């Protein structure tokens, strides 16, 4: 079989599958009563992941080196990483909203690599001397996987902001995602018992303090009655439209899985930067040259280090870390692609310049 023809077929097939998968996920979000759409979306992502893996494998066999030497190969490796991390995140969260956020990005990257790049940039070429090293697989692959995980985590943080409408919802539970719960302020009391418990903080209850008594008017305690009490400090929060329990549960899930995925990507980014420094010393005689790519890799590391520090040490949850992670998505894209579009550097070979 001609490996070049196989690659051309697989890159177009992966784009088509991701496009259909995106439509399936969006249709599932619009029509949640169709449960089979979620299974179709997961299957589409898995098939696209397999197609891209086969494409990269064929490229590896044809060229004789790990397929991460130019922009075309890098984009498809990034897409493969996003689909792989997506499958992990979706399996952990059991939420189809993960695909609503990740499928369009994966499809757009595949479309850019397949339809926008000129044919000469898609063809494999002999490696430049600086890339003829075993560190190519170690450094570049780990960096690309870290980008994939950080992008997915940031996209889920953006989805969290959309679900919560940007409201400052306090999510109870530990920052590492264990033992998480929401205190809805429900209390069961005997018939005619005076409610004397202090109200639950309104921000924890979506703008309201809620209490529950048990009475049916005859004192037998068979009927549960919900008393809704609005506290003074809750009035400002309650002025916004309160979120439904389903949205609150989904927001809690997105916040948790976003943190976990970013927690996976950050160590990979750290390992990739260290491996890059060792490789740079072998290739150029210096561990750190303040190249634009190196500088933005450090900025990316600092942004997500601040995110994890805020969550682990400061106990941040909800809107504030989600905004920080959302900004991190832009920083990752600048580090990955932007510096190669803006100017030359030691990492610019095989790309646009």
């Amino acid at each position: 079989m001609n490996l070049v023809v196989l690659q051309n077929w697989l890159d177009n097939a992966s784009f088509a599958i991701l496009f259909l998968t995106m439509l399936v996920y969006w249709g599932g979000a619009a029509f949640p009563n169709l449960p089979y759409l979620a299974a179709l979306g997961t299957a589409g992502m898995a098939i696209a992941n397999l197609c891209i893996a086969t494409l990269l494998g064929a490229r590896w066999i044809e060229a004789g080196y790990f397929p991460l030497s130019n922009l075309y190969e890098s984009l498809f490796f990034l897409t493969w990483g996003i689909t792989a991390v997506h499958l992990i995140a979706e399996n952990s969260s059991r939420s189809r909203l993960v695909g609503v956020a990740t499928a369009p990005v994966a499809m757009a990257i595949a479309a850019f690599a397949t339809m926008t790049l000129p044919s000469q940039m898609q063809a494999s070429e002999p490696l430049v001397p600086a890339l003829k090293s075993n560190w190519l697989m170690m450094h570049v692959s780990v960096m690309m996987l870290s980008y994939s995980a950080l992008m997915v985590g940031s996209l889920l943080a953006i989805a969290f902001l959309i679900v919560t409408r940007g409201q400052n919802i306090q999510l109870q539970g530990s920052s590492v995602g264990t033992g998480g719960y929401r205190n809805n302020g429900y209390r069961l009391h005997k018939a005619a018992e005076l409610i004397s418990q202090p109200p639950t903080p309104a921000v924890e209850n979506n703008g309201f303090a809620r209490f529950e008594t048990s009475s049916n008017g005859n004192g037998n305690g068979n009927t549960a009655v919900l008393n809704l009490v609005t506290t003074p400090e809750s009035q400002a929060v309650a002025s916004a439209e309160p979120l439904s329990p389903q949205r609150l549960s989904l927001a809690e899930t997105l916040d948790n899985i976003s943190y976990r995925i970013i927690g996976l990507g950050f160590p990979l980014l750290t390992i990739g930067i260290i491996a890059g420094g060792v490789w740079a010393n072998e290739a150029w005689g210096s561990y750190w040259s303040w190249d634009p790519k190196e500088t933005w890799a450090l900025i990316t590391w600092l942004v997500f280090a601040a995110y994890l520090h805020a969550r682990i040490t400061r106990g941040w949850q909800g809107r504030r870390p989600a905004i920080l992670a959302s900004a991190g998505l832009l920083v990752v894209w600048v580090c990955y692609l932007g510096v190669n579009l803006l100017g030359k550097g030691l990492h610019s070979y095989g790309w646009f310049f």
Side-chain angles (χ1 to χ4, degrees):
M1 179 181 293
N2 190 329
L3 292 180
V4 176
V5 174
L6 177 62
Q7 293 170 37
N8 293 334
W9 184 86
L10 286 173
D11 61 6
N12 286 281
S14 60
F15 161 70
I17 293 170
L18 287 171
F19 178 74
L20 294 175
T21 302
M22 178 190 70
L23 296 180
V24 168
Y25 275 115
W26 285 2
F31 304 100
N33 294 327
L34 300 176
Y36 64 87
L37 289 180
L40 284 177
T42 303
M45 276 293 194
I47 294 172
N49 180 272
L50 182 60
C51 287
I52 296 172
T54 306
L55 165 65
L56 295 173
R59 188 88 168 190
W60 194 348
I61 296 173
E62 178 208 357
Y65 55 81
F66 193 71
L68 275 176
S69 65
N70 60 23
L71 181 58
Y72 176 81
E73 297 167 351
S74 176
L75 288 170
F76 268 106
F77 192 91
L78 179 66
T79 308
W80 177 83
I82 290 175
T83 56
V85 175
H86 160 89
L87 294 173
I88 296 173
E90 188 176 61
N91 181 69
S92 301
S93 64
R94 304 294 182 184
S95 173
R96 71 181 68 185
L97 195 61
V98 175
V100 174
T102 59
V105 175
M107 185 275 298
I109 296 173
F112 178 69
T114 304
M115 301 178 180
T116 303
L117 294 182
S119 57
Q120 60 268 24
M121 292 192 66
Q122 298 185 20
S124 59
E125 298 178 352
L127 291 176
V128 297
L131 294 180
K132 293 180 180 179
S133 171
N134 292 329
W135 286 103
L136 172 65
M137 180 186 300
M138 172 62 183
H139 166 62
V140 184
S141 63
V142 173
M143 289 297 292
M144 296 305 300
L145 289 174
S146 72
Y147 292 158
S148 301
L150 295 176
M151 286 181 184
V152 172
S154 299
L155 288 170
L156 295 180
I158 295 173
F160 169 86
L161 294 174
I162 294 173
V163 167
T164 59
R165 308 186 187 116
Q167 297 182 31
N168 189 19
I169 304 299
Q170 181 176 340
L171 304 175
Q172 296 191 1
S174 69
S175 193
V176 296
T178 58
Y181 65 94
R182 178 181 292 104
N183 180 9
N184 286 316
Y186 289 113
R187 299 290 185 271
L188 291 177
H189 304 275
K190 296 180 180 180
E193 183 181 39
L194 179 64
I195 302 174
S196 58
Q197 285 85 353
T200 307
V203 70
E204 299 177 2
N205 295 307
N206 197 23
F208 299 98
R210 291 175 286 186
F211 302 94
E212 194 169 279
T213 60
S214 297
S215 174
N216 62 355
N218 297 323
N220 56 12
N222 293 328
T223 303
V225 179
L226 177 66
N227 292 331
L228 183 63
V229 181
T230 305
T231 61
E233 65 179 3
S234 72
Q235 293 176 357
V237 179
S239 61
E241 183 181 353
L243 301 180
S244 66
Q246 292 79 9
R247 275 180 175 263
L248 288 172
S249 177
L250 178 59
E252 214 165 46
T253 300
L254 290 173
D255 179 76
N256 183 272
I257 198 64
S258 173
Y259 167 73
R260 290 174 179 269
I261 295 299
I262 291 176
L264 170 66
F266 182 77
L268 292 174
L269 179 64
T270 304
I271 295 172
I273 291 175
I274 294 173
V278 175
W279 187 12
N281 185 60
E282 290 186 2
W284 302 317
S286 173
Y287 288 100
W288 195 268
S289 304
W290 292 106
D291 178 74
K293 179 77 74 172
E294 296 173 351
T295 303
W296 277 96
L298 177 61
I299 294 173
T300 304
W301 189 90
L302 291 174
V303 168
F304 286 100
Y307 170 88
L308 294 175
H309 171 76
R311 294 209 59 148
I312 297 173
T313 304
R314 304 289 297 175
W316 283 17
Q317 288 180 322
R319 184 177 66 178
R320 290 186 296 177
I323 293 174
L324 185 58
S326 302
L329 179 63
L330 176 62
V331 174
V332 171
W333 272 112
V334 172
C335 176
Y336 169 63
L337 193 59
V339 294
N340 298 97
L341 295 173
L342 296 176
K344 291 185 178 181
L346 296 173
H347 292 77
S348 294
Y349 42 73
W351 293 61
F352 287 109
F353 298 95

